[in-house]
Amino acid sequence: GQQVMQIPQYQHVQEGEDFTTYCNSSTTLSNIQWYKQRPGGHPVFLIQLVKSGEVKKQKRLTFQFGEAKKNSSLHITATQTTDVGTYFCAGRGGYQKVTFGIGTKLQVIP
Amino acid sequence: NAGVTQTPKFQVLKTGQSMTLQCAQDMNHNSMYWYRQDPGMGLRLIYYSASEGTTDKGEVPNGYNVSRLNKREFSLRLESAAPSQTSVYFCASSQGAGANVLTFGAGSRLTVL
């Protein structure tokens, strides 16, 4: 079945450092979504990538979708304490088949 | 708008007890989902309903049943709770079954003793 692997599982950074989380799928994806979950909260949609090689930016966040549509990354430039949380990728393969990665828990040290 | 509302927020059960988690959305979404979240396991799909009147199993359906009561409501039932079902449960909805964004509820934290 479809598997989405996400690394690292945990990341501690000093405030101002950059952060990257990676997702890799065992199968080709039709699209990939990214969600953020604040501590004690629920996942909130950040962005969706659909096209091969697509790059999207949201302020300090840069999202990439690989050329083969099997991997993706989220990069945060100059982290802030407001970036704390768990970042999930969610890959969509066949109809309705959405698989979440295990998430990357980001801690930002002031 | 409330979005996706789940009740209860917290529940403690004894092994063997039953309970129903309720979920309602007010966004006129067609598809609804139940996920469980466990440390180191991410979000795993229990059941989903692509549209009113249909339900399908996800990755981890054993021990659960669901009911799509109407377009707004999708409930999750544990008939005989087990400690392995201790988890945080999230209900979510999306406009359709395709490449749609998931809107999550606030979650229900269930502990089975």
Side-chain angles (χ1 to χ4, degrees):
Chain A
Q2 180 178 298
Q3 291 185 327
V4 175
M5 290 144 285
Q6 189 173 356
I7 57 169
Q9 193 168 348
Y10 303 96
Q11 185 81 60
H12 291 190
V13 299
Q14 290 286 144
E15 189 173 15
E17 290 182 338
D18 292 357
F19 159 78
T20 305
T21 174
Y22 301 89
C23 270
N24 286 288
S25 171
S26 58
T27 59
T28 301
L29 302 170
S30 58
N31 66 63
I32 194 159
Q33 297 173 345
W34 286 90
Y35 292 80
K36 177 183 178 181
Q37 183 177 24
R38 294 184 187 276
H42 58 278
V44 175
F45 173 77
L46 292 176
I47 208 159
Q48 177 172 280
L49 304 171
V50 178
K51 298 176 183 176
S52 169
E54 190 169 15
V55 178
K56 287 189 176 180
K57 293 189 176 185
Q58 288 180 349
K59 298 183 180 178
R60 294 176 295 103
L61 278 62
T62 302
F63 304 84
Q64 295 190 0
F65 200 11
E67 292 291 340
K69 300 183 74 172
K70 294 180 75 172
N71 58 75
S72 182
S73 64
L74 158 59
H75 179 81
I76 302 178
T77 304
T79 54
Q80 300 176 357
T81 54
T82 53
D83 296 325
V84 164
T86 301
Y87 293 84
F88 292 96
C89 61
R92 189 179 293 271
Y95 184 76
Q96 279 287 20
K97 183 62 176 172
V98 175
T99 304
F100 277 83
I102 64 169
T104 297
K105 187 172 183 177
L106 173 64
Q107 278 280 57
V108 179
I109 304 161
Chain B
N1 284 342
V4 179
T5 304
Q6 289 180 236
T7 56
K9 288 191 181 344
F10 301 95
Q11 183 74 50
V12 179
L13 292 176
K14 294 181 180 178
T15 296
Q17 287 185 319
S18 62
M19 78 157 299
T20 299
L21 298 176
Q22 307 285 356
C23 175
Q25 52 90 10
D26 63 1
M27 297 171 286
N28 201 35
H29 283 173
N30 291 304
S31 302
M32 298 185 74
Y33 313 80
W34 277 105
Y35 287 89
R36 60 177 289 175
Q37 184 175 33
D38 303 291
M41 302 291 288
L43 290 154
R44 293 182 293 169
L45 183 64
I46 306 171
Y47 270 94
Y48 66 97
S49 171
S51 60
E52 186 179 355
T54 69
T55 60
D56 283 289
K57 296 178 181 180
E59 300 172 67
V60 289
N62 292 346
Y64 305 95
N65 284 301
V66 290
S67 295
R68 183 73 182 267
L69 304 170
N70 48 55
K71 190 172 184 178
R72 289 185 66 248
E73 298 172 288
F74 189 38
S75 63
L76 179 71
R77 183 160 178 84
L78 287 69
E79 290 291 351
S80 179
S84 61
Q85 293 178 306
T86 292
S87 187
V88 179
Y89 292 86
F90 287 100
C91 178
S93 69
S94 68
Q95 182 61 50
N100 287 136
V101 172
L102 295 170
T103 301
F104 285 85
S108 299
R109 184 175 293 274
L110 175 65
T111 301
V112 183
L113 302 174

